[in-house]
Amino acid sequence: MLEVIAIHGRGIQRLHENGPWVLTEDLEFCDKDSANLPVRKPADDNNPFCMVGGGELNLLAGVEVYKREGAKIVVCAYGDRSNYLKSIDAPSESMVMSGCFIEATSNSVSSKIWTREMSLPGPSNTNRELQNIFEFTVANHYTKVGIITVDVHMPRTMVMAQRHLAKPEFRSLNAQFFVSEQVLVETNPALYGPRREALRRSKSFARNWEREQLGILRTITNAYGDEKPLVIALSATFG
């Protein structure tokens, strides 16, 4: 059994002005800097500002991983609010996704929520979210953590995770990685197989992949400002 399940955040939006906050769909219309929009616009795969969202996919996969693996505690989008949420004093993504997870699992598992009052210096991004997850796991004397994110985002997530897990304070951790689309296809091939293929073949996926490759390059060349810990062999598997 896993001890901690960590479901990565992929953004939240409102369906309309003053509407409820929801998780991003498979494809997401972004602003000119590829940031999330606070109010959803219809996705248009031909538009250069359309990218992979995936918040809903991560949540659905997280529920299935919990059913399959079990966990003592679940954290969702465990990091500070992005600027587009802070600018309008919106709830944290962790609050929204955690609420969805609790509803989907009938409140059968403990969850730790990153509230809007919790704030840290520096950017809110994947690298920081991973650090938060690992710090939380160690602080609560756990060692087995499962990390869930969408396919296009997993390579960069693993590169960043490797660099964190090489640090002395995190070397006791056993990290397992789950690709959201793969988890869902294994659960229901008829329902999620076509959805995964449509996402993989989309222009938005190709755009996102280019950005992910750049993110990997920035990580391994230390452009994120980390201290270049030594790379060690990890105890990591794919689910």
Side-chain angles (χ1 to χ4, degrees), residues 124-144:
S124 175
N125 55 29
T126 298
N127 198 45
R128 181 69 233 196
E129 185 177 348
L130 286 166
Q131 182 174 334
N132 296 341
I133 291 165
F134 296 145
E135 287 178 345
F136 173 83
T137 303
V138 169
N140 286 276
H141 308 290
Y142 298 132
T143 59
K144 298 177 182 178

Side-chain angles (χ1 to χ4, degrees), residues 38-114:
V39 178
R40 178 177 293 170
K41 290 185 178 180
D44 177 6
D45 194 35
N46 291 314
N47 191 297
F49 296 125
C50 194
M51 300 286 182
V52 174
E56 182 187 46
L57 285 171
N58 282 356
L59 172 70
L60 293 170
V63 171
E64 293 303 326
V65 170
Y66 171 67
K67 290 178 180 178
R68 190 170 79 191
E69 303 285 340
K72 294 181 179 179
I73 195 162
V74 173
V75 296
C76 301
Y78 199 62
D80 204 354
R81 293 180 296 171
S82 298
N83 288 335
Y84 83 103
L85 297 175
K86 286 183 175 180
S87 66
I88 56 175
D89 196 27
S92 70
E93 186 177 353
S94 182
M95 294 166 65
V96 174
M97 184 180 272
S98 296
C100 294
F101 185 90
I102 290 169
E103 182 178 355
T105 56
S106 301
N107 202 24
S108 61
V109 63
S110 297
S111 62
K112 173 64 176 177
I113 300 173
W114 192 285

Side-chain angles (χ1 to χ4, degrees), residues 125-135 138 147 156-173 219 224 226-232 234:
N125 55 29
T126 298
N127 198 45
R128 181 69 233 196
E129 185 177 348
L130 286 166
Q131 182 174 334
N132 296 341
I133 291 165
F134 296 145
E135 287 178 345
V138 169
I147 297 171
R156 178 159 63 97
T157 298
M158 289 197 69
V159 169
M160 289 180 167
Q162 182 186 52
R163 294 168 72 79
H164 283 297
L165 293 169
K167 299 173 183 177
E169 62 266 35
F170 298 140
R171 288 182 184 173
S172 64
L173 298 182
T219 301
Y224 279 92
D226 55 356
E227 65 277 19
K228 286 189 178 178
L230 295 175
V231 176
I232 60 172
L234 302 182

Side-chain angles (χ1 to χ4, degrees), residues 174-185:
N174 181 346
Q176 188 171 358
F177 298 86
F178 298 87
V179 174
S180 295
E181 295 96 317
Q182 183 63 31
V183 169
L184 294 172
V185 169

Side-chain angles (χ1 to χ4, degrees), residues 9 20 148 154 189:
I148 301 164
M154 183 58 81

